[in-house]
Amino acid sequence: MGRSLILDTGVLIAYERGKIDRTIFDDDDLAVAAVTVAEFRVGIELADTQERAAARSRRLDLLLADIDVLDYGTRTATYHAQLIAHARRTGTRRSAHDLIIAAHAAETGRTVVSLDARQWSA
């Protein structure tokens, strides 16, 4: 088994659209946070046609068949609270969803994979 990774929404979308080489994850243990699924589903809900919504939904179902979805539990909430407190103490702006993904990473020992390097740098 390769790396233990958690994909953020931008990577999941790029993965779904074939904009990144999917083979780079072939040997890896992949996961997404449940909030990432929700963010992806917003795109399904906002699709301009029923056909596009259905196609996105099918592709998401196919992706999730091979990727673990991490649920937000009390242990995740503890990490999330610690990260929120750290961000506030340091004056670092982070979205609640990004901090949930980071909390899952801290909880599970996974590395966050994001297309937005700024969001994860200190």
Side-chain angles (χ1 to χ4, degrees):
M1 184 62 65
R3 303 163 294 181
S4 184
L5 306 174
I6 184 168
L7 309 179
D8 79 353
T9 309
V11 173
L12 186 65
I13 291 168
Y15 187 89
E16 177 265 334
R17 291 181 178 169
K19 295 196 179 219
I20 57 176
D21 179 6
R22 295 178 189 181
T23 62
I24 64 172
F25 299 123
D26 279 354
D27 296 326
D28 298 322
D29 177 26
L30 301 179
V32 295
V35 70
T36 300
V37 176
E39 289 178 328
F40 192 98
R41 287 198 174 280
V42 169
I44 294 169
E45 295 296 325
L46 295 175
D48 56 355
T49 67
Q50 290 285 350
E51 294 78 19
R52 184 166 287 149
R56 286 178 181 167
S57 185
R58 283 190 303 275
R59 287 191 302 266
L60 179 61
D61 290 343
L62 288 172
L63 284 172
L64 295 182
D66 295 325
I67 298 175
D68 293 330
V69 177
L70 305 177
D71 292 326
Y72 189 102
T74 56
R75 190 163 174 232
T76 314
T78 298
Y79 282 101
H80 189 201
Q82 291 168 351
L83 289 167
I84 291 170
H86 175 75
R88 288 184 182 169
R89 277 194 297 271
T90 61
T92 307
R93 297 176 60 102
R94 297 286 189 259
S95 79
H97 290 179
D98 289 344
L99 290 177
I100 291 170
I101 295 166
H104 280 296
E107 176 186 7
T108 62
R110 293 176 182 274
T111 300
V112 175
V113 180
S114 175
L115 297 177
D116 185 2
R118 281 182 304 119
Q119 110 186 2
W120 300 106
S121 61

